[in-house]
């Protein structure tokens, strides 16, 4: 897997250096109905229902005020429209909350790709002291004390199941695998409806490919090829550190994957994010410092492709990206079991 | 209206002094399907839908992290299972969040009754610096900038409508008037199903009446008689300041209505809260310092009625109160319009 990643990185890095002389053939793919799912956690309605409950339950945080939903607002863009998020006690996180919509199509999770699956991702913010702030074992203890959860765990994991951190994460991940937004104008266009994208959007689609955006933002989710879960499609950002945007938006301040691994080769390496539903997910980039979509397109063209786009090109690409807004499935609110009074004592 | 309040207070105060010698005839009422509604804000589906969107929208707070839903979790008990709530920047409020479920049946809002309607209530936390922290006019500005809200305001208030603080409050109040939990075991019992409450619950019901709890916690919502909107059913708490619970739970620390009015006669006067769905709303009382329902029953009997209940009596009353848990209507999550990137700049 590591060799595969290195190989891809090498090929793409070589390709990036050629962008001023070549154009790119895009392989446009509609969003599948179902995302990849790990063999040890098949999606079932009972797990999805339990996972939805846990996703919305602020009792998974130390103060009882922060849930997964707090930073991943599935009633809107699956993020929190802030540069960086607010955790327990008003603490500020360091990176922009990525959208949970279509996250199931990413082969690794977090901006630095440090979690191989949604299951691994789900547990991390719960334990993070500036996000949900729960010490080891505390989340399990608390969910156990809320006795109304027991029948839902039984339904999801069998009558002899336990409330464990593994099962909590499996349930939340199962719910997240239902957060898919198909049938965007782009998807309809790819599926044969020639009028689903207007003339400007189709022009933008071509410019998106010709400029080289599609080199990284490929595949059905515009987040790279559909690699096996855990692989990670990780790229250097910024690739052209002399771009004036690099200083303006502090793009070298955060070392990306290297912050986690400590390895020099991981410096400023980032997982390629999806471009679906960008209309809903301002502000942009890992630090959330770029507020508008047109500016983000300019920044990316400059820092990754060493290109300065015309206003017309930017407008066309933005119009195309707006065509990536999908249909958000209707969702019923979960009913959360009550907090026993003696749990508070 | 003021005379009516004074009269009721006088009658009830007199009755409280007689509790050791008399018993009380209760007039049990099932929860109506529809709550009282002000003539100038009839409930319509379009207003309810818009109000639900606004109720869940954290962009109504200065940090974009706190919505009405944050402290009034309608997926659970309509409160936040904390002693006092957390607002923007991790700030702590001073009183326990009252449930929004069935709040429409209260004739005044807030623990001190300072808002005559749900409309008046809705605007207050938005502007409160330690709750949602929005300076005057800022909420309206922000909702105006989220252009996706405009068609919903048009639908709710007419095609020439404006985004105003009045309309925001009217919409939120309209949504809150749908938050009704009918068909509790108690309601079914009152409507003729003799088996809806078990023997212990029926005994508790009688004890609840005989002890005198029903003097204040009367009516279909167990929050006093159905007075005209804006009237307020306000009682002194604690009535017996020598109860040992008064010091233990700091019951005189907060002056109640007098904090708002500055009047000596309002000292420790509080709006009588509902007893419906108490199973979901621990911890209890205006300061949230009493964690369990049995202890709350003991505290109230002692501080309000100068009575020490036996464990059996407490158990019976708690069993009865558990029979006041109603059916929570299924709710579809709202879809919130996107945050325009240029709104953030």
């Amino acid at each position: 897997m590591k060799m595969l990643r290195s190989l891809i990185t090498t090929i793409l890095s070589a390709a990036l250096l050629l962008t001023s002389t070549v154009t790119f053939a895009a392989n446009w793919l509609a969003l599948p109905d179902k995302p990849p799912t790990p063999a040890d956690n098949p999606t079932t309605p009972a797990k999805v229902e339990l996972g939805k409950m846990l996703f919305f339950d602020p009792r998974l945080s130390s103060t009882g005020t922060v849930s997964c939903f707090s930073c991943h607002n599935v009633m809107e863009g699956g993020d929190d429209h802030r540069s960086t998020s607010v955790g327990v006690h008003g603490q500020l996180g360091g990176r922009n909350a990525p959208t949970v919509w279509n996250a199931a199509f990413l082969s690794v999770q977090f901006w630095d790709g440090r979690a191989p699956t949604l299951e691994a991702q789900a547990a991390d913010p719960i334990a993070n002291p500036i996000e949900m702030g729960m010490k080891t074992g505390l989340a399990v203890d608390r969910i156990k004390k809320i006795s109304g959860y027991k029948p839902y765990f039984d339904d999801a994991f069998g009558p002899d199941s336990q409330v464990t951190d593994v099962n909590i994460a499996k349930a939340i991940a199962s719910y997240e695998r239902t957060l898919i937004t198909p049938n965007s104008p782009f998807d309809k266009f790819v599926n044969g409806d020639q009028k689903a994208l207007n003339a400007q959007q189709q022009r933008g689609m071509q410019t998106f490919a010709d400029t080289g955006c599609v080199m990284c933002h490929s595949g059905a989710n515009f987040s790279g090829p559909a690699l096996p879960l855990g692989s990670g499609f990780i790229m250097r950002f910024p690739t052209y550190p002399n771009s004036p945007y690099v200083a303006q938006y502090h793009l070298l301040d955060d070392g990306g994957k290297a912050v986690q691994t400590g390895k020099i080769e991981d410096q400023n390496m980032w997982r390629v994010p999806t471009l679906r539903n960008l209309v809903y997910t301002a502000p942009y980039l890992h630090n959330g410092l770029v507020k508008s979509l047109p500016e983000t397109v300019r920044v990316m063209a400059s820092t990754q492709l060493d290109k300065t786009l015309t206003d017309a090109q930017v407008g066309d690409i933005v119009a195309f990206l707006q065509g990536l807004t999908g249909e958000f499935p209707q969702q019923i609110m979960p009913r959360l079991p009550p907090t026993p009074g003696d749990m508070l004592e």
Side-chain angles (χ1 to χ4, degrees), chain A:
Chain A
M1 196 58 67
K2 199 166 185 180
M3 278 184 60
L4 176 62
R5 274 207 297 275
S6 296
L7 183 64
I8 291 169
T9 305
T10 306
I11 293 170
L12 270 285
S13 298
L16 283 168
L17 295 175
L18 295 172
T19 51
S20 53
T21 51
V22 300
T23 58
F24 302 92
N27 179 24
W28 306 112
L29 298 168
L31 197 68
D33 289 341
K34 303 281 181 196
T37 304
D40 66 348
N41 190 24
T43 304
T44 65
K47 270 191 265 188
V48 170
E49 184 58 29
L50 171 61
K52 185 164 67 170
M53 295 165 73
L54 294 166
F55 186 89
F56 279 91
D57 200 327
R59 293 171 293 193
L60 278 175
S61 65
S62 62
T63 54
T65 59
V66 179
S67 67
C68 307
F69 169 71
S70 300
C71 300
H72 299 287
N73 188 341
V74 293
M75 298 179 190
E76 203 217 349
D79 66 340
D80 60 2
H81 57 78
R82 290 182 47 91
S83 292
T84 64
S85 302
V86 175
V88 292
H89 304 296
Q91 297 174 101
L92 273 180
R95 291 178 184 158
N96 184 254
T99 180
V100 70
W101 287 107
N102 307 308
F105 290 105
L106 299 170
S107 67
V108 291
Q109 304 296 330
F110 292 116
W111 275 103
D112 55 12
R114 68 185 182 275
T117 59
L118 288 170
E119 285 79 358
Q121 189 281 329
D124 192 284
I126 296 172
N128 187 313
I130 63 171
E131 295 185 55
M132 298 164 81
M134 292 289 260
K135 294 202 172 71
T136 306
L138 198 53
V140 169
D141 283 356
R142 201 172 289 172
I143 298 298
K144 272 185 184 166
K145 281 182 184 156
I146 302 169
S147 57
Y149 264 120
K150 182 74 171 83
Y152 292 92
F153 275 85
D154 290 350
D155 282 356
F157 297 105
D160 298 325
S161 75
Q162 298 291 319
V163 178
T164 62
D165 48 4
V166 170
N167 284 341
I168 288 173
K170 279 186 172 181
I172 293 174
S174 295
Y175 167 60
E176 290 174 335
R177 289 199 177 92
T178 70
L179 299 176
I180 308 297
T181 63
N183 301 324
S184 70
F186 165 82
D187 295 302
K188 290 175 184 167
F189 183 83
V190 168
N191 285 333
D193 178 357
Q194 303 268 330
K195 293 181 177 169
L197 296 178
N198 65 28
Q200 185 185 23
Q201 289 176 313
Q202 293 184 40
R203 218 162 51 226
M205 188 171 169
Q206 190 62 47
T207 307
F208 180 88
D210 292 347
T211 308
C213 311
V214 78
M215 279 195 302
C216 289
H217 293 289
S218 61
N221 198 32
F222 292 83
S223 55
L227 303 175
L229 284 180
S231 308
F233 189 62
I234 312 280
M235 291 293 141
R236 189 169 310 281
F237 172 69
T239 295
Y240 291 92
N242 293 329
S243 161
Y245 292 117
V246 171
Q248 182 180 348
Y249 292 116
H250 304 278
L251 299 180
L252 288 170
D253 288 11
D254 184 333
K257 191 177 175 186
V259 176
Q260 181 73 11
T261 65
K263 294 180 184 168
I264 187 71
E265 65 264 33
D266 291 334
Q267 190 67 23
N268 303 117
M269 297 296 282
W270 299 92
R271 181 205 58 186
V272 175
T274 181
L275 301 186
R276 287 184 175 270
N277 308 310
L278 286 178
V279 165
Y280 279 93
T281 59
Y284 303 101
L285 304 189
H286 62 264
N287 58 18
L289 289 182
V290 185
K291 311 296 185 189
S292 79
L293 203 41
E295 180 73 349
T296 307
V297 170
R298 280 185 215 103
V299 170
M300 294 304 291
S302 173
T303 60
Q304 299 305 90
L305 301 163
D306 197 24
K307 290 184 179 173
T308 304
L309 300 179
T310 66
D311 286 353
Q313 286 176 311
V314 170
D316 290 352
I317 290 176
V318 167
F320 169 62
L321 294 173
Q322 288 169 337
L324 299 181
T325 306
E327 290 174 4
F328 294 86
Q330 189 181 78
Q331 294 193 79
I332 309 279
M333 292 185 204
R335 282 296 313 156
L336 305 184
T339 305
D342 56 8
M343 171 179 140
L344 298 162
E345 287 178 314

